């Protein structure tokens, strides 16, 4: 009689899939944390509302557009960090830099 339950064996493919799912979660969480560190959800909602109501100056509109592009760039940075198991997603250098002027805009809202 065997003490091994082969029904519980995890294949290499299953293990790789579990590792990938975990990496997806941590990289996306890192991305989200960095975005919210630059602009909280409340700040983003306030800026969206001000933009929708046409209450931003031309300079503020340009900075808001730059901020939105930065968010897109942050999201685009995720897939390579997910697929490369050796990529250190905790390094500032692997993420796009916040454009000049965006922090000042965010501080107003």
């Amino acid at each position: 009689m065997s003490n091994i339950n082969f029904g519980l064996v995890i294949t290499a493919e299953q293990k790789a899939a579990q590792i990938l799912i975990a990496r997806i979660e941590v990289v996306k969480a890192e991305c989200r944390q960095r975005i919210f560190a630059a602009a909280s959800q409340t700040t983003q909602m306030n800026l969206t509302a001000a933009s929708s109501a046409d209450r931003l100056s031309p300079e503020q509109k340009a900075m808001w557009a730059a901020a939105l592009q930065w968010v897109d760039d942050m999201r685009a940075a995720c897939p390579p960090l997910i697929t490369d198991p050796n990529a250190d997603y905790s390094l500032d250098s692997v993420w796009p830099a916040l454009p000049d002027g965006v922090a000042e805009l965010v501080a107003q809202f």
Side-chain angles (χ1 to χ4, degrees), residues 19-35 71 73-91 94-96:
I19 291 169
L20 179 61
I21 288 168
R23 185 150 178 100
I24 289 168
E25 290 176 15
V26 297
V27 171
K28 286 186 174 185
E30 179 74 15
C31 181
R32 184 172 36 258
Q33 180 274 325
R34 287 172 178 271
I35 291 169
V71 170
D73 295 344
M74 289 290 288
R75 291 177 179 153
C78 287
L81 295 171
I82 289 168
T83 57
D84 180 357
N86 296 316
D88 186 350
Y89 59 85
S90 69
L91 297 175
V94 300
W95 296 99

Side-chain angles (χ1 to χ4, degrees), residues 20-70:
L20 179 61
I21 288 168
R23 185 150 178 100
I24 289 168
E25 290 176 15
V26 297
V27 171
K28 286 186 174 185
E30 179 74 15
C31 181
R32 184 172 36 258
Q33 180 274 325
R34 287 172 178 271
I35 291 169
F36 288 152
S40 70
Q41 285 181 305
T42 301
T43 299
Q44 291 179 47
M45 288 187 294
N46 289 342
L47 273 162
T48 299
S51 179
S52 297
D54 201 26
R55 293 186 176 181
L56 297 179
S57 70
E59 296 80 16
Q60 289 173 320
K61 286 179 185 179
M63 283 300 100
W64 182 228
L68 293 173
Q69 182 59 56
W70 174 75

